[in-house]
Amino acid sequence: MAFTASDVKALREKTGCGMMDCKKALTESNGDMDRAVDFLREKGLAAATKKSGRIAAEGVAFACTNKDENVGVVIEVNAETDFVAKNADFLAFVQTCADTVIEKNPVSLEDLMACKASGSDLTVEELVREKILTIGENIKIRRFKRFDGIVTTYNHAAGRIGVMVKFNTSSETAAKDDFKIYAKDIAMQVAAVNPGYLNKESVPADVLEHEKKILTEQVMNDGKPANIAEKIVMGRINKFYEEICLVDQEFVKDSSMKVSQVLKDASVVEFARFEKGEGIEKKEEN
């Protein structure tokens, strides 16, 4: 597979490596971007990178709960321009979509589109068509997630990131002000640090094996014997868990504590973090 100058540029942006290193990596990997990233990491030239792609599309990621804070939703709705994403009519439409998910509990996007929109006689699909006509841009509901239980939500940077976290605790604890404070802190941690998984047990076996392979190559390239390399890799795997697992991460507001220690008499069951446009490539105009 051949590669182009734009592939080299994209690899540089993903990894922060030099042009010649990126060219060599793409040559060695026959133009395969993911294999090129692995090649650079094995050589110790690149840190772990996310594969979500550039953040490009406009719109909002938005999270909210119902009044009782026992149902939550995080939803992404895309538009063509940032200007529309800040439009009050568009934002009210996003809120209506979120309220519909809370009230109707659709199982899929298709199901949501067929639901009667909250506070309207129109279906969500009809409402989307109406907004496209009145706002003058293509509008698309991209995805949503809904949690039932004790839920906290957080919105960051005016619609760039929406976070929802579900906790396991008693209703008495959930009603306390100090719980509400640290629950919000955990949601803010998810927004800021972007953990990939909840805990060690939730890291897929193939992800762990892939990381072990990369780390083993790094250590072997440093000239360490196999028996020593294995111990070093296990130490680095623990560091890997601390970086990608929410409950094992350093707490952003107090680095002397892990997130699991902050939670006291509660635990995180699951979380969802939507970042506006992640994984969507936006057409560039000359």
Side-chain angles (χ1 to χ4, degrees):
M1 187 196 303
F3 61 89
T4 64
S6 64
D7 293 330
V8 177
K9 179 172 180 286
L11 186 57
R12 291 185 71 190
E13 287 173 354
K14 268 178 178 277
T15 63
C17 293
M19 184 183 294
M20 296 312 295
D21 289 325
C22 289
K23 281 186 174 179
K24 183 177 181 183
L26 284 164
T27 301
E28 292 290 332
S29 63
N30 200 25
D32 185 299
M33 188 67 70
D34 288 344
R35 282 172 55 199
V37 171
D38 285 350
F39 176 87
L40 290 168
R41 289 192 62 207
E42 286 167 7
K43 299 299 179 188
L45 297 170
T49 58
K50 301 188 188 308
K51 297 180 182 178
S52 59
R54 283 190 341 207
I55 309 302
E58 301 304 337
V60 296
F62 173 69
C64 68
T65 64
N66 64 347
K67 181 168 61 69
D68 295 328
E69 297 185 343
N70 60 4
V71 182
V73 63
V74 58
I75 189 166
E76 181 183 359
V77 183
N78 297 129
E80 292 178 45
T81 64
D82 185 47
F83 177 75
V84 162
K86 295 172 181 173
N87 174 287
D89 193 27
F90 176 77
L91 294 174
F93 166 70
V94 175
Q95 180 72 63
T96 295
C97 293
D99 290 341
T100 306
V101 173
I102 287 171
E103 293 167 17
K104 306 292 174 66
N105 193 15
V107 296
S108 64
L109 275 174
E110 185 180 15
D111 195 18
L112 172 60
M113 296 299 274
C115 286
K116 276 281 178 68
S118 176
S120 172
D121 291 329
L122 302 176
T123 65
V124 172
E125 185 168 19
E126 289 167 339
L127 205 54
V128 169
R129 286 202 295 267
E130 181 187 85
K131 294 303 171 193
I132 290 171
L133 288 171
T134 56
I135 292 174
E137 283 193 12
N138 189 26
I139 291 169
K140 183 178 180 183
I141 303 169
R142 186 181 179 209
R143 53 182 173 159
F144 68 87
K145 189 93 174 174
R146 182 185 189 274
F147 290 162
D148 289 283
I150 295 167
V151 185
T152 294
T153 56
Y154 171 68
N155 292 292
H156 178 72
R160 188 167 72 85
I161 297 170
V163 171
M164 176 172 59
V165 186
K166 179 178 177 179
F167 296 90
N168 179 27
T169 191
S170 67
S171 54
E172 290 81 7
T173 297
K176 294 177 181 176
D177 287 342
D178 62 343
F179 170 80
K180 292 181 187 299
I181 290 167
Y182 67 69
K184 187 69 74 177
D185 285 343
I186 301 303
M188 291 169 70
Q189 170 108 11
V190 173
V193 187
N194 193 12
Y197 305 96
L198 175 60
N199 51 28
K200 294 176 186 178
E201 292 73 26
S202 59
V203 179
D206 61 327
V207 172
L208 186 59
E209 286 307 309
H210 182 257
E211 190 64 21
K212 282 181 180 175
K213 176 181 176 294
I214 297 289
L215 294 173
T216 301
E217 289 289 341
Q218 286 179 359
V219 175
M220 298 294 274
N221 285 341
D222 288 340
K224 298 285 192 287
N227 61 326
I228 301 295
E230 188 175 346
K231 291 178 182 175
I232 294 172
V233 167
M234 289 317 296
R236 291 186 183 177
I237 282 293
N238 287 331
K239 185 67 179 170
F240 171 69
Y241 283 137
E242 289 172 4
E243 289 172 356
I244 69 162
C245 296
L246 174 61
V247 299
D248 295 310
Q249 287 178 341
E250 283 185 359
F251 182 43
V252 167
K253 293 178 82 172
D254 181 356
S255 61
S256 69
M257 301 176 74
K258 300 286 188 195
V259 168
S260 56
Q261 294 171 293
V262 178
L263 288 166
K264 304 173 191 170
D265 45 5
S267 61
V268 178
V269 179
E270 55 186 333
F271 66 89
R273 180 189 187 276
F274 286 3
E275 186 158 350
K276 175 187 71 176
E278 57 192 341
I280 300 176
E281 290 288 341
K282 186 179 180 183
K283 185 174 73 173
E284 293 183 4
E285 305 287 356
N286 292 327

